[in-house]
Amino acid sequence: MNKKIAVIKGDGIGPEIVDEAEKVLNKVGEKFGHTFEYTDVLMGGCAIDATGVPLPQETIDICLASDSVLLGAVGGPKWDTLPGNLRPEAGLLGIRGAMKLFANIRPAKLIPALAGACPLKEEITKNGLDLVIVRELIGGAYFGARDTHVDENGVKHASDSMAYADYEIERICRVAFDMARKRGKKVHSVDKANVLDSSRLWREVAHKVAEEYPDVEFQDILVDNTAMQLVHNPAQFDVMVTENLFGDILSDEASMITGSLGMIPSASLGEGTLGLYEPIHGSAPDIAGQNKANPLATILSVAMMLRYSFDMGEEADAIEKAVDEVLAEGYRTGDIMSEGMKCVSCSEMGDLVAQKI
Ligand code: NAD
């Protein structure tokens, strides 16, 4: 197969980690007989420097005309003082909106070789940790009506509204149930239905969708209880579906308990197969340009791209297996280094994974 990939290397460590992901993808292409064609496009700080805006129209056009989009990371101190709409992060929100990506998929899995980095006690993780958070990405409080004003008494007010329409909830729930069918066949729908109207609608719609998936075990859970259960008994979760703000917070909590930011991939999907794939970490300006970054989250993001956008499950498995093997052999980048392990650079880690494909 021939696939066109738009590549946003971005800022900081972005170009270094994306180069390693392409290295691994090229090896997959050689091994399985596919061709991956890359088109580099600008977004974030580098786009601001070159064009004055964080997300040039050309970038949007090329992303929409591609089979998939790979993103490194954007942002850095150089652009921190710009107004909100001109900051690198505005590019991220803009591209998600332009590509109509409403579902963010974030796996949190405890890799046996890195179990020592997990901050939870062994008695809690002995049953494993392998879950996926399906987060609604373009609705809720981040996109609802907002207001800041000073009233006639000089008191300052600010508000954000968490708004959802039934169809927005339905389509994200379907993503979660379809995913659960391919995994552990269990969905937890996370809400705050004891307090919020938007959550009561969420719960009503989630139940309706659940009826269509009798083979998938389904349970509602309140968001506060979910935060506790994640550190108390994470093995009970398979697929968790939730709204934007809750998902933002819970997915960071879930990432933390797996031990390393440099290991976690993500996918953002819309109605079709076009998706945006990126590591969950930022541009790590403190180590940029030093060949020290951990490229594994980006390499694992490419595995998600193969699985979700290109329907290449076997190829995706090959990457994930290669990563597990390299770690099991004791190779580590600085961020996941521990005593007795072999410390390697970003490019060496990419070479090691590519060799295992
Ligand atoms: P960060 O994730 O960039 O870095 C946090 C810490 O983790 C740093 O010490 C960094 O060195 C380390 N780290 C992160 N990724 C690593 C990797 N792959 N290998 C080794 N170490 C790694 O978060 P931050 O410092 O809060 O943000 C830095 C910049 O990134 C900011 O401008 C922020 O806005 C931006 N950011 C971008 C994205 C994105 O592009 N999606 C996401 C988060 C933050």
Side-chain angles (χ1 to χ4, degrees):
M1 256 191 263
N2 181 22
K3 294 288 179 191
K4 286 195 200 119
I5 303 173
V7 180
I8 303 169
K9 291 188 174 175
D11 310 310
I13 60 170
E16 302 162 53
I17 53 180
V18 168
D19 283 350
E20 299 317 307
E22 286 184 4
K23 193 186 273 177
V24 173
L25 207 43
N26 290 339
K27 196 67 195 296
V28 168
E30 253 173 58
K31 175 95 195 279
F32 291 86
H34 306 302
T35 314
F36 300 109
E37 235 177 83
Y38 310 106
T39 307
D40 285 337
V41 289
L42 294 175
M43 191 179 94
C46 56
I48 295 170
D49 289 350
T51 70
V53 291
L55 179 61
Q57 185 61 41
E58 188 192 20
T59 296
I60 298 177
D61 295 342
I62 293 175
C63 289
L64 290 175
S66 300
D67 295 311
S68 189
V69 181
L70 175 62
L71 165 65
V74 296
K78 182 177 172 191
W79 305 281
D80 273 354
T81 51
L82 291 171
N85 62 334
L86 284 180
R87 287 181 57 146
E89 293 78 2
L92 274 177
L93 292 183
I95 195 71
R96 286 174 186 159
M99 292 173 68
K100 299 194 174 65
L101 304 172
F102 63 81
N104 181 249
I105 317 291
R106 241 204 226 189
K109 188 174 175 182
L110 200 60
I111 296 180
L114 297 181
C118 173
L120 300 181
K121 287 184 187 148
E122 205 188 324
E123 65 193 68
I124 291 174
T125 53
K126 67 175 188 300
N127 295 326
L129 160 62
D130 182 2
L131 61 92
V132 174
I133 297 186
V134 177
R135 165 188 166 194
E136 203 289 327
L137 204 55
I138 52 175
Y142 295 175
F143 289 83
R146 62 187 61 194
D147 175 54
T148 303
H149 70 272
V150 181
D151 70 15
E152 61 276 16
N153 300 316
V155 180
K156 201 164 186 185
H157 301 262
S159 63
D160 304 275
S161 73
M162 188 185 278
Y164 272 103
D166 53 5
Y167 72 90
E168 294 174 305
I169 304 169
E170 186 179 329
R171 67 186 178 185
I172 190 80
C173 286
R174 281 188 200 289
V175 171
F177 279 94
D178 286 338
M179 188 158 292
R181 272 195 170 149
K182 294 186 193 150
R183 294 177 39 99
K185 295 197 167 48
K186 198 175 357 166
V187 169
H188 282 84
S189 170
V190 181
D191 63 37
K192 188 70 183 163
N194 53 344
V195 179
L196 301 174
D197 269 9
S198 57
S199 278
R200 283 191 271 273
L201 177 62
W202 185 281
R203 192 171 278 211
E204 184 189 317
V205 175
H207 276 254
K208 261 194 211 143
V209 175
E211 282 171 18
E212 294 171 34
Y213 295 81
D215 51 322
V216 176
E217 197 185 317
F218 172 67
Q219 199 181 318
D220 298 305
I221 182 166
L222 292 174
V223 62
D224 38 358
N225 187 22
T226 311
M228 291 192 289
Q229 294 299 325
L230 266 174
V231 290
H232 176 63
N233 179 16
Q236 69 186 292
F237 297 113
D238 174 31
V239 175
M240 200 185 273
V241 60
T242 191
E243 68 88 41
N244 204 345
L245 169 62
F246 299 161
D248 192 4
I249 298 168
L250 291 174
S251 55
D252 269 11
E253 184 188 359
S255 308
M256 187 60 220
I257 57 182
T258 65
S260 171
L261 208 56
M263 294 297 305
I264 302 173
S266 77
S268 299
L269 308 171
E271 293 288 358
T273 56
L274 177 64
L276 175 79
Y277 298 83
E278 58 179 316
I280 67 156
H281 58 72
S283 59
D286 52 334
I287 55 165
Q290 300 171 35
N291 198 15
K292 277 186 185 167
N294 183 349
L296 293 177
T298 319
I299 291 171
L300 291 169
S301 300
V302 155
M304 292 184 85
M305 175 189 289
L306 294 174
R307 182 171 290 123
Y308 297 122
S309 280
F310 302 161
D311 200 19
M312 296 180 186
E314 200 187 329
E315 291 84 336
D317 288 347
I319 294 183
E320 286 162 358
K321 186 164 162 274
V323 168
D324 283 350
E325 283 174 11
V326 168
L327 291 170
E329 285 174 12
Y331 295 103
R332 303 282 189 273
T333 42
D335 59 315
I336 50 172
M337 186 60 193
S338 57
E339 217 184 309
M341 300 293 131
K342 294 165 257 189
C343 193
V344 295
S345 66
C346 179
S347 55
E348 283 167 338
M349 186 56 100
D351 288 339
L352 286 162
V353 177
Q355 279 159 23
K356 291 273 179 208
I357 299 290

